[in-house]
Amino acid sequence: MFGNLFEEEEEEEGFSSTSSKGRVAKGGDEPPPPRGRSSLCGIKNQGGTCYLNSLLQTLLFTPEFREELFSLGADELGCLEDKDKPEAKVRVIPLELQRLFARLLLVDQQSASTADLTDSFGWNSSEGTNQHDVQELNRILFSALEHSLVGTSGSTFIHRLYHGTIVNSIVCKECGNVSQRQEDFLDLTVCVCGVSSLEEALWTMFVEEELFEGNNLYRCAQCNRLVTAAKSAKLKKLPPFMTMSLLRFSFDFAKFERYKETGRYSFPLTINLRPFCEQTDGEDSDYTYELFSVIIHKGGCYGGHYHAYIRDIDELGQWEEEVKKVCESKLQEDDPLSVLTAIIAQESSKSVLLDQLGQKLMDKIGSSWSRKFRKHYGPIGKFLQSHNEVFLLVSNGTRVALKTNPSSPVTEPPGPAEQTTNSDPGSHWFDLNDSTVTSIRESDIEKQFQGKESAYMLFYRKTQLHRPSEGNEQHMAQEENLKLQQMREEFEATNNTVELRLHLAPSYKLENGALQPVSRDSDGSTALSFDRRKTVGDLRLAIYQMQELWEGDMALTVAKSLPAGLHLYNTLTDDTVSLYSAGIYTNTDLFVWNGREVCGGTVQTGAEWEPVLLTVVRPFLGENVEQEARGFAGGATLGEVKEALGEPKESLLCQEHKGGKRKEQGAGEGGGASGWRVFPPDDMQRTLKELSLKDGDFMLLCLLFLLSLVFITSVKHDVILQKMITFLSNVSLPQLLSEVKQRAIEELQLQEQTPGKILSNAAVHNHLKYTSTLKFVKLIKCMHKKQDLMLFCIFISLQSNC
């Protein structure tokens, strides 16, 4: 059931030499989180090892067991580094147990792994996911330890601490002969069914007699016949630690199935075993035990979950309610030292990011530092530095912690302010539930008297036991703790390193409403890796050092690369905040300039000035149409755009996209465009942002287009105007050249008598020649200079055979 846990002595090298092969290491590169508010370390569940975790935590919080284990050195146990050497005798199980206990005691992590320990047990992958009985594990683990420690100074410590003796007596009622037999026990298995408490069960076991009478007589060796007799049992030798296993699981012979006893079964916090002992001439302290661990089972007889309530005898942890009392007692809202100390002490990590300290202060007292304390104490950063006897800056100065704070093993020990004030040392209880450790009260133990979640094993210790001297476990975790600290720092540095793109002002020019690189061969940016936990001032200093020739002010402005070019948004002005608080992330663009102008041009910043990249369309006489991508500031008016294009007398028509990619010219209809619209004169004072112009929209330039139709067709002005506006509002650019061309032919009546056939170029030329007037010729010349769209369409129709 437990692999070859009990077979270590049969293997020359111990089990780890083979059992760990093929095991896949779990977890990634991220180091484990630090301990929580309790300052105690939990144990990771491998899938079904909650029973193992509960037992291991109980043994860890047994000072005498822990110190006996740590008193064994490498001269007796060997070294794990030599476990694969054939000639070496390495006692792997106690060594791995030492390493695990050292991690649980000293390494600053939320939970420790038992993978190496279970590997030393010889467990395969399925053993870690199958749940077993914790009482059986307790017996097998102790047996394995005793076998493993044969020949060492610790070969008897399990027996000395946990083994007791029961004497069974049978008294003949005829001759008075007493027959006795002694038996060793590691734990007492007590009945639950039919009894209401532990004391009642012990009374039944060790006080009440069983009579042999009637058909159930006893053969007396002295009388040499069947006689009436009385059988009883007494505790002869009491061990320092008494383990009680409650028979919660029973078998129903009527239903022929197992079931769990969930009725009320009480047990005391302190118990006197004198009434159950053979000899009672000692002091009460020799028989009095106090409860220090309760392993609890939640669920039914076919499955469930184990966790443990454990009393912190050595005061290893920080009981949560006492922490709250200390913090509340220290809090004086008019004293900034008191307030900041209380805020940091209440954090689970026992530290606070500098950038978050101000907000936590606001949440705590309802007022900001600037309003309440700055006048008398200066900036908060300066206050922290001036009280370096209390505050400690860590993580490269991005976090603040308390020097007197109950610390992780790599910092200073707790100071008087954080010590609990309970008058009974070691009276605090914790619920150790795999990786989670929480504070509980003694009254919570009564909740485990009954129900589906109830006590399963009870661990008592003699009240006369004194705390043993410290062992040598301290040095065992130092190297691992430093390694873990280094891993955390490296992980934090890696995860807090941002890749920035710096754009230096001398490499840019202001053109078409946006910043453009001076050189076409380079985008003008410089890559920089930087820790975002550092401040804006640190970044500014680093850039100064990179740019030795930089003179004058330096402004760092968040930029964004848009289709029209680089645009600037907010400038980082507070040098005391971190890049994280300033909203700087990987791939952020930062423009480095003087904050006023670039190459003599004033730069407008902010979202309202985001440039828009428009496609300006200029038709020519001939087969081609000129298209130019041109950027304009979003805050520029339409009139300013007209002026910038150098066509002040032209009307502007804009095609807007409404989702979907526009098809190339000549690719057919549609393409996701919304059509063309004519901007009225009133729109000339509106900005491109107000007109909702977007990147990729088309701007068509058209000179006196409608007027040309008036002269050519001699049709009433307003009729043609309305006619062509309607037409232009319902066609997209792919339709425009073909449909306008056809409409021009129809409007000029350039068709032959045969419907559907277009006149030849010569015929059209003659038609125009004899119908032209002097005014029309002048108009033609004017339009030719301005490259009017209508002339372009007519010209195509004259040269095309369609």
Side-chain angles (χ1 to χ4, degrees):
M1 177 177 290
F2 291 100
N4 54 350
L5 175 60
F6 49 88
E7 298 176 355
E8 184 188 19
E9 293 303 315
E10 298 178 9
E11 296 193 19
E12 197 67 32
E13 300 89 10
F15 327 181
S16 287
S17 59
T18 58
S19 62
S20 61
K21 292 182 180 178
R23 186 182 186 96
V24 179
K26 297 181 180 180
D29 295 329
E30 181 176 358
R35 302 184 181 212
R37 298 177 67 92
S38 67
S39 296
L40 296 176
C41 182
I43 301 179
K44 297 176 183 176
N45 193 324
Q46 295 187 42
T49 56
C50 54
Y51 64 102
L52 173 66
N53 296 348
S54 300
L55 179 59
L56 291 174
Q57 292 283 26
T58 298
L59 297 178
L60 174 73
F61 281 84
T62 307
E64 292 76 11
F65 177 92
R66 190 175 70 239
E67 300 304 335
E68 287 279 0
L69 181 67
F70 280 119
S71 67
L72 302 171
D75 55 333
E76 295 186 282
L77 301 182
C79 297
L80 288 173
E81 292 77 9
D82 300 331
K83 65 182 179 181
D84 294 326
K85 296 180 180 179
E87 72 279 2
K89 176 59 181 178
V90 180
R91 304 173 192 271
V92 181
I93 292 179
L95 283 172
E96 290 291 2
L97 200 56
Q98 282 183 346
R99 288 182 59 185
L100 176 63
F101 279 8
R103 292 190 190 102
L104 293 172
L105 287 170
L106 303 170
V107 177
D108 185 20
Q109 56 185 6
Q110 184 184 38
S111 58
S113 172
T114 56
D116 292 336
L117 179 64
T118 55
D119 279 348
S120 74
F121 293 168
W123 287 8
N124 54 36
S125 58
S126 63
E127 289 290 344
T129 56
N130 296 332
Q131 188 180 106
H132 299 298
D133 185 76
V134 67
Q135 180 193 13
E136 184 178 5
L137 174 67
N138 183 57
R139 294 179 176 182
I140 294 176
L141 178 60
F142 278 1
S143 177
L145 277 172
E146 287 183 300
H147 280 83
S148 180
L149 295 175
V150 170
T152 70
S153 61
S155 59
T156 61
F157 91 84
I158 295 292
H159 192 274
R160 284 189 284 105
L161 293 181
Y162 293 96
H163 285 259
T165 305
I166 297 176
V167 57
N168 296 291
S169 303
I170 299 179
V171 180
C172 177
K173 294 294 185 180
E174 299 289 337
C175 67
N177 180 57
V178 178
S179 174
Q180 290 187 331
R181 179 177 58 87
Q182 294 187 21
E183 62 177 294
D184 180 81
F185 70 88
L186 180 66
D187 60 79
L188 295 179
T189 301
V190 295
C191 186
V192 173
C193 181
V195 293
S196 61
S197 66
L198 176 64
E199 295 96 325
E200 183 181 348
L202 293 175
W203 186 271
T204 302
M205 292 174 63
F206 299 114
V207 176
E208 294 182 355
E209 294 183 337
E210 179 185 357
L211 290 178
F212 295 103
E213 58 184 356
N215 294 328
N216 185 27
L217 296 175
Y218 168 72
R219 177 171 292 278
C220 176
Q222 186 75 25
C223 300
N224 196 24
R225 61 186 175 87
L226 295 175
V227 296
T228 302
K231 178 182 179 181
S232 63
K234 291 290 184 179
L235 294 170
K236 182 177 180 65
K237 175 194 172 187
L238 295 177
F241 295 91
M242 184 71 74
T243 304
M244 311 283 189
S245 297
L246 310 184
L247 281 175
R248 284 283 181 186
F249 300 118
S250 300
F251 191 83
D252 189 333
F253 288 95
K255 296 181 179 180
F256 212 72
E257 64 180 13
R258 295 181 70 203
Y259 70 97
K260 180 179 179 180
E261 293 281 356
T262 58
R264 180 178 175 82
Y265 188 88
S266 62
F267 47 87
L269 294 176
T270 303
I271 187 170
N272 191 322
L273 297 181
R274 182 192 289 269
F276 315 115
C277 293
E278 182 185 38
Q279 298 176 354
T280 59
D281 54 353
E283 300 291 334
D284 273 347
S285 60
D286 295 333
Y287 303 97
T288 305
Y289 287 78
E290 55 187 2
L291 186 69
F292 77 97
S293 177
V294 182
I295 293 183
I296 300 158
H297 181 266
K298 179 181 181 181
C301 58
Y302 297 106
H305 177 70
Y306 289 96
H307 62 109
Y309 285 178
I310 301 178
R311 186 159 66 91
D312 186 10
I313 297 171
D314 287 336
E315 299 182 277
L316 300 174
Q318 194 70 15
W319 201 53
E320 188 170 356
E321 185 162 326
E322 290 298 332
V323 173
K324 291 180 180 178
K325 288 179 180 178
V326 171
C327 294
E328 290 171 359
S329 64
K330 291 191 297 181
L331 180 60
Q332 301 173 10
E333 292 192 2
D334 292 331
D335 178 14
L337 186 63
S338 171
V339 174
L340 294 179
T341 302
I343 290 173
I344 299 171
Q346 287 180 316
E347 289 296 306
S348 59
S349 63
K350 306 304 179 186
S351 65
V352 177
L353 279 170
L354 284 176
D355 297 335
Q356 299 177 1
L357 188 57
Q359 182 59 48
K360 291 183 179 294
L361 176 70
M362 174 76 78
D363 297 339
K364 189 73 175 177
I365 64 174
S367 180
S368 67
W369 175 273
S370 296
R371 176 173 295 182
K372 192 168 183 67
F373 301 119
R374 186 183 179 93
K375 182 177 180 181
H376 296 95
Y377 299 98
I380 190 170
K382 184 177 180 181
F383 179 82
L384 295 173
Q385 293 175 0
S386 64
H387 290 79
N388 54 13
E389 76 282 0
V390 177
F391 302 108
L392 178 67
L393 295 178
V394 296
S395 298
N396 294 326
T398 60
R399 303 184 74 93
V400 58
L402 296 178
K403 283 191 173 181
T404 56
N405 189 52
S407 59
S408 66
V410 296
T411 58
E412 298 180 11
E418 281 68 37
Q419 297 289 349
T420 57
T421 58
N422 197 295
S423 58
D424 184 10
S427 64
H428 294 150
W429 287 77
F430 292 92
D431 179 7
L432 292 103
N433 192 343
D434 289 337
S435 297
T436 305
V437 183
T438 53
S439 303
I440 61 168
R441 297 176 178 274
E442 280 188 352
S443 57
D444 292 328
I445 298 175
E446 296 182 7
K447 300 175 183 177
Q448 308 305 325
F449 287 171
Q450 61 190 355
K452 290 186 176 181
E453 182 176 11
S454 50
Y456 188 74
M457 287 188 74
L458 307 175
F459 295 82
Y460 286 89
R461 56 182 286 123
K462 279 191 174 182
T463 55
Q464 66 178 6
L465 293 179
H466 299 290
R467 176 70 174 86
S469 59
E470 293 292 334
N472 62 345
E473 72 271 19
Q474 183 73 28
H475 75 279
M476 301 183 64
Q478 289 178 353
E479 182 177 349
E480 186 166 354
N481 223 348
L482 292 174
K483 181 180 178 181
L484 182 61
Q485 183 184 17
Q486 183 179 1
M487 285 175 57
R488 240 180 231 130
E489 290 176 355
E490 291 176 354
F491 180 80
E492 289 184 4
T494 301
N495 284 269
N496 285 285
T497 298
V498 290
E499 301 297 330
L500 305 177
R501 289 191 293 262
L502 302 180
H503 302 266
L504 305 178
S507 301
Y508 282 84
K509 61 182 177 180
L510 185 61
E511 185 176 274
N512 296 332
L515 293 167
Q516 312 290 343
V518 173
S519 173
R520 294 185 178 181
D521 299 331
S522 173
D523 62 358
S525 66
T526 301
L528 174 65
S529 298
F530 205 76
D531 191 336
R532 67 173 180 168
R533 294 171 297 179
K534 293 186 177 181
T535 65
V536 173
D538 294 333
L539 175 61
R540 193 188 311 278
L541 179 60
I543 298 175
Y544 265 122
Q545 294 171 347
M546 290 172 57
Q547 304 296 318
E548 297 178 356
L549 301 179
W550 188 280
E551 296 182 358
D553 297 334
M554 177 185 289
L556 303 180
T557 304
V558 177
K560 185 177 180 181
S561 183
L562 302 175
L566 195 69
H567 183 64
L568 308 185
Y569 293 87
N570 58 298
T571 299
L572 307 179
T573 56
D574 190 348
D575 280 2
T576 63
V577 302
S578 67
L579 299 189
Y580 177 84
S581 297
I584 305 301
Y585 303 99
T586 289
N587 296 328
T588 296
D589 292 278
L590 288 177
F591 193 72
V592 184
W593 60 317
N594 58 17
R596 298 181 298 275
E597 51 84 25
V598 174
C599 296
T602 302
V603 180
Q604 302 289 352
T605 63
E608 68 275 12
W609 289 95
E610 279 185 356
V612 180
L613 186 65
L614 302 176
T615 301
V616 179
V617 179
R618 289 186 175 91
F620 285 92
L621 292 175
E623 295 290 341
N624 299 321
V625 175
E626 180 188 275
Q627 293 189 9
E628 175 193 5
R630 186 81 175 267
F632 300 95
T637 64
L638 200 58
E640 291 172 342
V641 172
K642 284 180 60 177
E643 185 175 353
L645 290 173
E647 306 282 352
K649 295 183 180 180
E650 298 183 38
S651 299
L652 297 176
L653 307 177
C654 178
Q655 183 187 28
E656 291 185 301
H657 293 260
K658 288 187 177 179
K661 295 182 179 179
R662 180 184 177 277
K663 294 183 179 179
E664 292 298 329
Q665 196 169 346
E669 298 182 4
S674 65
W676 293 83
R677 58 180 172 133
V678 179
F679 287 111
D682 291 345
D683 283 349
M684 294 301 106
Q685 301 305 316
R686 300 178 67 188
T687 65
L688 301 187
K689 283 290 183 183
E690 293 173 341
L691 293 169
S692 300
L693 292 176
K694 297 179 176 60
D695 294 322
D697 287 351
F698 282 80
M699 188 74 71
L700 176 65
L701 304 180
C702 181
L703 174 65
L704 300 176
F705 174 50
L706 302 176
L707 184 59
S708 66
L709 291 182
V710 174
F711 282 97
I712 294 174
T713 60
S714 300
V715 181
K716 195 172 181 181
H717 184 115
D718 57 348
V719 174
I720 289 297
L721 180 62
Q722 183 61 42
K723 194 173 183 180
M724 294 311 296
I725 289 177
T726 302
F727 165 70
L728 291 172
S729 299
N730 291 284
V731 297
S732 59
L733 188 57
Q735 300 170 272
L736 190 59
L737 295 179
S738 60
E739 291 193 26
V740 170
K741 171 184 173 181
Q742 182 63 32
R743 183 64 63 85
I745 293 174
E746 293 173 0
E747 295 291 345
L748 295 174
Q749 299 177 358
L750 300 179
Q751 293 180 333
E752 293 186 12
Q753 299 298 323
T754 305
K757 187 174 182 179
I758 304 299
L759 290 173
S760 66
N761 291 349
V764 175
H765 184 270
N766 290 332
H767 178 79
L768 289 176
K769 180 179 179 180
Y770 291 105
T771 58
S772 297
T773 63
L774 181 61
K775 183 178 288 190
F776 179 67
V777 172
K778 292 181 180 179
L779 183 60
I780 291 294
K781 292 180 179 180
C782 176
M783 289 188 291
H784 179 76
K785 292 178 181 178
K786 295 299 183 179
Q787 303 166 352
D788 180 68
L789 175 62
M790 194 66 220
L791 278 183
F792 168 69
C793 295
I794 297 173
F795 184 80
I796 292 178
S797 69
L798 294 179
Q799 297 187 13
S800 176
N801 291 325
C802 298

